[in-house]
Amino acid sequence: MKLRRREFLKLSAASVGALALGEQVGASSLPNPLARVPAPWYATGVTQSYSICENCFWKCGITAHVAGGKVFKVEGYQGNPKSRGRLCPRGQGAVAQVYDPDRLKHPLIRVEGTARGEGKYRTASWDEALDYIADHMLDIKDRYGSESMAFFGHCSGDSWFVEYLPGAWGSPNAAKPSVSLCTTPRETASQWTFGRPVGGHEPVDWENTRYIVLIGHHIGEDTHNTQLQDFSLALASGAKLVVVDPRFSTAASKADRWLPIRPGTDTALLLAWLNVLVDEELYDRDYLDRYAVGFDELALHVKKFTPEWAAPITDLPAEAIRIVARELAAHAPEAVIPPGRHTVWYGDDTQRMRAQYLVNALLGNVGRPGGFYIAQPPYLEPYPHPPFVLEPAAGGCGGAEVTTEESNSDFRPAADRGKFFARTTAIQELIPPMITGEPYPIKGLIAYGVNLFHSIPNVPRTKEALRELDLYVAIDVMPMEHVMWADVILPEASYLERHDDLVAIAHKTPFIELRTPAIEPLWDSKPGWWIARELGIRLGLEAYFAWQDIEEYLDRRLTAIGSSLEQAKQVGTLIQKGRPYLEDWEARNRSPFGTPSGKIELYSETFAQNGLDPLPVYTPPEEVPQGYYRLLYGRSPVHTFARTQNNWILMEMHGENAVWVSVAEAERQGLSNGDYVWLENQDGVREGPVQVYATERIRRDCLYLVHGFGHKSSSLAIADGRGASDNALQTRYTLDPISGGAGLRNNFVKLIPGAPRPRHPNLARLARERRI
C-alpha cells in the first residue's frame, strides 16, 4: 500500500499524541526504549595516553582513550609532526586489532613428533618456552657457531631482535624485509650519491614545491598519513603533478599529465630527461659548481640518450618526454621527483634510483626550499652497555652507514656476503644457506613480526628452508600461516599494551616519539622488550640487559638529553630543532654530504673502483612471455601489507583484492567484471580464486594486484582464503648487484577462467561478533 503524504502526517501526529498521552496517563506501563540504551563509553572515567600507531609503520603519534580498562578510541595527536591530529583508516581500526579474538594468547611449543606446518601445539609457560629457545640456541652456537642463528624482524619493536640481541649474541645474519624487499635501492643510491639516507620519512619540502613528478609512487594508496596530507596541500596550493605509471593510479587521477610507461623502462626515461637538461643547458650550473662533482662525465654519458632514443623503449612520445624535462627545469629548484618507498622492481633498481637522484641534482633542489630538505635525526644517546661483539647490518627504511668494511673480523661475515656490493643484509639471500649450508649453515631463526610467506619471494623455497632448521621461533600478535610452522610461538602484546624503545625520526624538525601502554597486556602476551631481555639473560648476556624494566631503560635515555620519562609521558613527542637547508649547514661551515668527496657525486668513483657502472645505465627488462602478463602489485589505503586482513573494521572497507586487467584483454578472453579466475605464473604456481576488475586504467601488457591478501591460515577467521597473494606468485626475483634488492616485477602470470566463486564466512556476522 502506498502511503500518501497527508496520511503519513496524520499518522505521525497521532503517534506523537499517543506518546504524549502515555507520558501523562499510565506512562509507567509503557516500555521506555531509552532504558535499554547503555550510557556511552565516554560518560565517565576516560583516561588518555600517548603512543605510536602501528597499524602501519609510518609511526604516527596517537592518543588512546580508555574507559573501564578498555580502549575505545584512538585518534591522531595534534602535537605530533607525523599525525598532526589526523589518522588514516588503518589507525582508526586499532581497537579491532587489539581485541581480535584470534590473537595469540599463550606461549606454544610444537607437539613432539609432529612436522612443521601441521599446526599442532601445546600450551607452555613463559619459563618453559624461553628455556627451550635458549637451550637450542646455545646448542647451535656450540655446534655451528653463533653466526648460524638468523634474526628477522619487521615493525617498531624489531630493534631488540635484529640489532640489540644479535649484536650482543654475535650474528651478522640479521635482516628486515623493509630493506632488500623494499627500500634498499633508494637508500644505497642515496648514500653513494648524497652521502646520507633518504630515511623513513621522505624529506620532500611539499609546502614549497611547485612541480611534482611521481614515478611508480602510490601516494593515496599506501596512505602514509603525513605524506598524504602534505601532497594534498601541495596540489591545493597549485603545484603541478606528473605521474609516470603503467597504471592509472589514484595519484594519476589527480595529475596534470599521466605517462603510461612500459614497465621496466623508467631508467631510459630518466636518462632522456638528463639528456634534455644537459643538452638545452637547463641545469643549475652555479649549484653544481658549488655542491657536486662529476658533471663533465655525466654530460658526456647522457649525450646519446635523447627523447627520440627513449620514445620507442618507453612507449612515450618524444615530445612528451621533452616537455616534462623543460617544465621541471622551469620550476626548479621548487620541482621534485620523490624517491618513493618500495623501489625493488627489476633488478637494476639502484641505477634507476641513481638516475632519479641525478635529475634532482641537476635541478639544484637538494637542500633547498621546494625540493628536498635535509633531514636530521634527533639527538638521542643509546643506553650504556658493553660494546656489541659485532654491529649487525640489518639496515632499515633509513638505510645503513656508507661503508665497504666488515664490522668485526672475529666473526664470519653475513651468509649473503659477496652476492652484491652493499653491506646491509638481504633477507631473501639468507634463505638458501638454511637449505644448502653454503657458505655456512644457518640452523636457527627468530622471526619477529615479519610475515615470511607474504614478504619473501619463492614461498616453496622458504618452507623448505624452515624444514631444515634446528630451531624456528616466531614472535607475533596474530597466528599467521608462517607462525604456525614454528617450534616455539611467543605471543607479543599489541602496540597499545606495551612500551617500546624510543623512536627517533629524522625530519625537518627532528623528533622523538614515546610509546606507552594504554592497557595491560591481554591474555598471557608479553612485550617484545621483555621477551628479548628474558631470553638474553638465559643466553648469558645479562650485561647488555642491566636495567630492571623498560621504564628504567627509557628514563636513562631521556635524562641523557635533558628530559625524563615522566616529561615525555606528558607530551608524547619531543621535538628538536633541525637544519633543513644548505644555508643552515653553511652557517656552521659544515657540509651535509657525507660522500668520499664531501659533495654530491654525479659520477661515483667508488662504484668505478668496485667494477660497477659509475653512471646510470639502462638495462632492458625481461620480455613478457607469450600468453602472460607482467605482474604488478601495490598497496591498499586501508591495509598494511598482510598484517591487517583479520581486522573486521578494515575488512568491511576492503574485504578482498581483485586482479586489474585491461578492458581489451578481458574482452579478448571473454571475462567480465566480477568473474573469478585463477592466476598461474611462469613456474606453474596457481593462486586464487580472485575477482576480475576490467578497467581502462591499466596497460594491456600487465596485471595488478593489491598486496597482502590470500592468507592461508584457518586460525584467521576473517582473513583466511580471501583474495589472492601476489607474493605466492613471485617465485623468481632478479638480484640487484649493487644494493642486494630483490627485483620482484619479473614474474609473469596468465588468467585461467572458470574459477569458482569462493564461499567465505559472512563478514558482517563476524564483524558483529567482534564489536566491543
Side-chain angles (χ1 to χ4, degrees):
M1 181 185 79
K2 186 175 180 180
L3 190 65
R4 298 179 185 277
R5 180 175 181 272
R6 181 175 297 177
E7 292 169 334
F8 171 77
L9 291 175
K10 287 181 179 178
L11 181 60
S12 300
S15 300
V16 171
L19 179 59
L21 179 63
E23 288 174 345
Q24 296 176 36
V25 181
S28 60
S29 63
L30 294 175
N32 180 3
L34 296 181
R36 297 192 299 272
V37 178
W41 65 268
Y42 50 81
T44 58
V46 178
T47 61
Q48 299 180 18
S49 61
Y50 294 117
S51 190
I52 309 165
C53 184
E54 199 158 312
N55 260 12
C56 86
F57 302 134
W58 196 243
K59 301 183 177 73
C60 290
I62 58 174
T63 305
H65 301 263
V66 177
K70 285 188 176 180
V71 181
F72 279 89
K73 182 180 180 182
V74 172
E75 61 185 350
Y77 169 41
Q78 188 66 47
N80 178 267
K82 283 273 190 181
S83 60
R84 303 173 194 159
R86 296 176 174 86
L87 283 184
C88 73
R90 296 173 294 198
Q92 301 285 356
V95 175
Q97 208 84 350
V98 172
Y99 295 107
D100 191 327
D102 296 340
R103 275 181 56 178
L104 296 167
K105 300 176 176 67
H106 306 280
L108 301 172
I109 294 178
R110 181 164 56 89
V111 173
E112 188 174 353
T114 64
R116 291 193 178 107
E118 285 188 49
K120 295 181 179 179
Y121 291 91
R122 61 177 177 84
T123 302
S125 68
W126 276 99
D127 282 337
E128 182 188 8
L130 291 167
D131 288 345
Y132 181 104
I133 297 167
D135 289 345
H136 282 71
M137 286 181 69
L138 292 169
D139 180 63
I140 289 170
K141 183 176 183 179
D142 288 342
R143 295 170 61 196
Y144 303 102
S146 62
E147 305 95 332
S148 289
M149 274 297 304
F151 300 81
F152 295 173
H154 196 204
C155 69
S156 59
D158 66 14
S159 61
W160 298 110
F161 298 96
V162 294
E163 295 169 20
Y164 206 95
L165 193 57
W169 165 261
S171 177
N173 295 308
K176 306 180 185 184
S178 56
V179 181
S180 62
L181 302 176
C182 192
T183 63
T184 191
R186 77 169 195 185
E187 296 301 334
T188 303
S190 182
Q191 293 281 18
W192 291 104
T193 304
F194 303 118
R196 58 186 312 106
V198 175
H201 190 109
E202 291 179 55
V204 177
D205 195 20
W206 297 101
E207 61 187 295
N208 295 309
T209 195
R210 298 186 298 136
Y211 195 91
I212 305 162
V213 176
L214 300 179
I215 301 180
H217 195 310
H218 295 160
I219 293 179
E221 293 171 354
D222 54 20
T223 322
H224 293 135
N225 185 358
T226 330
Q227 191 177 69
L228 191 55
Q229 291 184 48
D230 289 338
F231 175 67
S232 301
L233 290 172
L235 295 187
S237 298
K240 301 299 182 184
L241 175 64
V242 175
V243 171
V244 180
D245 202 311
R247 184 175 62 92
F248 192 74
S249 63
T250 300
S253 71
K254 315 295 181 187
D256 298 278
R257 191 186 303 274
W258 173 45
L259 303 181
I261 194 169
R262 176 181 290 148
T265 65
D266 309 85
T267 305
L269 173 63
L270 290 159
L271 288 169
W273 283 345
L274 287 167
N275 170 277
V276 174
L277 293 175
V278 171
D279 185 63
E280 299 185 13
E281 298 186 356
L282 301 176
Y283 54 89
D284 191 327
R285 185 184 301 272
D286 291 341
Y287 181 92
L288 296 176
D289 288 344
R290 190 169 183 179
Y291 299 113
V293 294
F295 176 76
D296 291 341
E297 293 90 340
L298 174 64
L300 182 63
H301 177 69
V302 301
K303 194 172 183 62
K304 61 185 177 183
F305 301 128
T306 64
E308 287 70 25
W309 165 82
I313 295 173
T314 60
D315 261 3
L316 301 174
E319 189 57 24
I321 296 172
R322 189 170 275 108
I323 286 171
V324 172
R326 289 170 177 167
E327 290 178 348
L328 276 165
H331 291 84
E334 297 165 351
V336 65
I337 309 177
R341 196 171 185 89
H342 180 88
T343 53
V344 286
W345 295 355
Y346 301 101
D348 63 341
D349 304 301
T350 306
Q351 292 288 14
R352 183 189 77 250
M353 293 309 303
R354 280 263 296 150
Q356 188 166 318
Y357 292 147
L358 298 194
V359 174
N360 281 302
L362 264 59
L363 299 174
N365 67 13
V366 180
R368 297 173 73 180
F372 293 97
Y373 63 80
I374 296 167
Q376 278 289 99
Y379 172 65
L380 182 63
E381 291 284 347
Y383 189 93
H385 60 72
F388 286 143
V389 295
L390 58 73
E391 292 291 337
C397 295
E401 182 183 358
V402 174
T403 181
T404 58
E405 303 297 325
E406 298 294 345
S407 66
N408 190 328
S409 59
D410 293 337
F411 291 84
R412 289 174 291 185
D416 64 354
R417 195 60 69 240
K419 291 188 173 184
F420 51 92
F421 170 72
R423 286 297 177 261
T424 51
T425 44
I427 194 168
Q428 77 281 352
E429 300 307 311
L430 298 184
I431 301 298
M434 299 177 187
I435 302 170
T436 66
E438 299 294 336
Y440 56 84
I442 291 178
K443 302 302 292 182
L445 172 64
I446 294 178
Y448 171 85
V450 52
N451 196 319
L452 301 181
F453 298 164
H454 278 269
S455 59
I456 301 174
N458 198 344
V459 174
R461 185 185 70 168
T462 302
K463 290 181 177 180
E464 181 184 357
L466 296 182
R467 292 187 187 101
E468 296 296 323
L469 295 176
D470 290 351
L471 174 67
Y472 169 35
V473 179
I475 306 170
D476 217 303
V477 177
M478 299 297 298
M480 305 295 185
E481 183 188 3
H482 77 281
V483 170
M484 308 313 291
W485 279 61
D487 300 314
V488 182
I489 300 172
L490 301 180
E492 190 186 26
S494 77
Y495 66 92
L496 290 177
E497 303 163 328
R498 69 179 194 245
H499 286 96
D500 270 318
D501 203 351
L502 299 168
V503 174
I505 303 293
H507 195 259
K508 184 183 285 189
T509 54
F511 57 97
I512 299 167
E513 295 180 304
L514 174 69
R515 170 174 284 151
T516 58
I519 57 174
E520 291 297 313
L522 298 177
W523 298 290
D524 196 15
S525 62
K526 298 286 186 182
W529 67 264
W530 183 91
I531 298 171
R533 183 177 184 275
E534 289 294 318
L535 181 56
I537 291 170
R538 286 167 169 79
L539 295 171
L541 305 175
E542 56 273 0
Y544 295 92
F545 299 92
W547 32 278
Q548 295 303 307
D549 58 44
I550 193 65
E551 293 199 340
E552 177 189 334
Y553 171 92
L554 295 172
D555 193 58
R556 177 68 179 268
R557 294 195 73 188
L558 289 166
T559 53
I561 62 169
S563 184
S564 68
L565 178 57
E566 192 55 39
Q567 180 183 343
K569 286 180 178 180
Q570 300 304 312
V571 297
T573 304
L574 302 174
I575 301 175
Q576 299 178 3
K577 186 176 181 180
R579 299 194 295 273
Y581 302 122
L582 287 170
E583 61 193 44
D584 300 313
W585 290 76
E586 290 167 348
R588 294 167 174 81
N589 295 314
R590 294 183 59 193
S591 169
F593 305 117
T595 58
S597 66
K599 294 188 174 185
I600 300 171
E601 297 198 350
L602 308 177
Y603 178 96
S604 175
E605 288 285 357
T606 303
F607 278 16
Q609 292 166 7
N610 285 273
L612 304 170
D613 289 308
L615 290 161
V617 295
Y618 165 65
T619 303
E622 185 177 346
E623 290 293 329
V624 181
Q626 184 69 31
Y628 286 81
Y629 305 89
R630 189 179 300 276
L631 177 62
L632 305 180
Y633 51 87
R635 302 287 183 246
S636 166
V638 302
H639 286 293
T640 296
F641 308 120
R643 293 173 62 89
T644 55
Q645 283 76 13
N646 214 60
N647 183 311
W648 68 264
I649 291 176
L650 304 182
M651 287 293 277
E652 281 194 321
M653 290 185 274
H654 189 181
E656 65 179 296
N657 58 358
V659 58
W660 290 37
V661 57
S662 74
V663 169
E665 287 299 301
E667 290 176 349
R668 187 178 68 82
Q669 298 203 43
L671 296 171
S672 302
N673 268 327
D675 289 348
Y676 278 84
V677 296
W678 298 102
L679 301 177
E680 186 175 296
N681 79 352
Q682 70 282 335
D683 296 318
V685 172
R686 183 172 286 196
E687 182 65 11
V690 64
Q691 201 169 24
V692 169
Y693 172 53
T695 175
E696 300 285 1
R697 295 172 57 190
I698 193 167
R699 289 173 53 103
R700 294 187 67 166
D701 53 1
C702 48
L703 304 177
Y704 173 82
L705 278 177
V706 167
H707 171 73
F709 289 87
H711 285 262
K712 299 169 181 66
S713 173
S714 59
S715 300
L716 299 171
I718 294 178
D720 184 39
R722 295 182 191 267
S725 167
D726 60 321
N727 194 68
L729 295 164
Q730 293 163 352
T731 50
R732 300 182 184 179
Y733 61 89
T734 305
L735 185 68
D736 187 323
I738 302 176
S739 68
L744 300 173
R745 296 186 180 180
N746 289 325
N747 285 277
F748 309 99
V749 296
K750 59 184 177 181
L751 301 166
I752 309 294
R757 178 180 293 272
R759 300 183 66 180
H760 301 299
N762 183 272
L763 188 56
R765 176 181 60 78
L766 290 171
R768 286 195 301 272
E769 292 172 356
R770 290 158 186 253
R771 294 180 193 275
I772 296 179

